[in-house]
Amino acid sequence: MEQSIQFRAKKGKWTVIKKINIDENTTDTEVARLLNSIDETVNKKVYEFLPFDLDKIEEIANEIYEKKKGKVKEEDITNALLKLKSPATTRKLNAITKSKEGKAIVKIILNNIVLERLGIKTRLETKLIDKYMEKNE
């Protein structure tokens, strides 16, 4: 049986196809690269399909930490993390959704936005894997 990975999605005008045929010359890094590319695609789209006000989440993120030019200071990170965990932020999230599970989802989205702004990467970027492959394989 032929080995391969195939990802196909179509929803409205959004269509994506990502695939790789795997043979004895395919490296594990190439497989990881495709899987990561699928993950990036899905993560970018998933928020659009959730029933939450992304603009409102961005507003809350702006109140916690607005991205600035230059290096992020340790105090910025500390302050942002304190604000993320604060009851005031939780109350703001309550305005977006009332359900316990919804609040957990919105909180994760907010955490990811703020951490990214702080320069704390929580996900691999396919571009980084590409650069790694260029230099190491």
Side-chain angles (χ1 to χ4, degrees):
M1 184 170 135
E2 183 179 304
Q3 295 184 67
S4 65
I5 298 171
Q6 297 181 25
F7 174 78
R8 297 171 196 259
K10 179 161 179 43
K11 169 89 168 89
K13 293 181 181 180
W14 178 61
T15 302
V16 64
I17 299 171
K18 296 183 183 245
K19 59 185 175 176
I20 187 173
N21 289 322
I22 301 168
D23 62 24
E24 65 278 351
N25 298 318
T26 306
T27 67
D28 287 346
T29 308
E30 288 172 309
V31 172
R33 187 214 174 276
L34 179 74
L35 292 171
N36 194 75
S37 177
I38 293 167
D39 182 60
E40 278 183 333
T41 299
V42 169
N43 274 308
K44 287 177 186 171
K45 268 309 195 195
V46 72
Y47 297 161
E48 293 177 28
F49 294 116
L50 290 170
F52 306 114
D53 185 342
L54 294 177
D55 291 334
K56 186 68 180 160
I57 298 169
E58 285 283 345
E59 285 176 29
I60 296 168
N62 289 340
E63 293 170 16
I64 293 171
Y65 182 79
E66 283 197 69
K67 189 168 179 143
K68 305 168 192 166
K69 288 187 177 181
K71 189 175 179 182
V72 177
K73 299 175 187 153
E74 281 186 39
E75 65 192 48
D76 291 335
I77 295 170
T78 302
N79 290 336
L81 293 176
L82 287 171
K83 288 179 185 177
L84 273 175
K85 298 295 280 179
S86 75
T89 297
T90 302
R91 283 191 295 278
K92 290 173 188 169
L93 297 178
N94 288 338
I96 296 173
T97 180
K98 298 293 181 209
S99 88
K100 179 181 176 184
E101 296 79 10
K103 282 183 248 185
I105 292 168
V106 172
K107 181 78 167 198
I108 291 167
I109 294 169
L110 178 63
N111 289 343
N112 286 333
I113 292 168
V114 172
L115 290 174
E116 195 71 28
R117 289 179 181 184
L118 292 168
I120 300 170
K121 302 283 184 190
T122 59
R123 309 195 74 76
L124 279 174
E125 294 177 356
T126 302
K127 293 185 292 189
L128 186 58
I129 295 173
D130 289 341
K131 287 179 183 178
Y132 172 82
M133 288 172 65
E134 284 175 22
K135 293 180 179 180
N136 295 289
E137 291 193 3

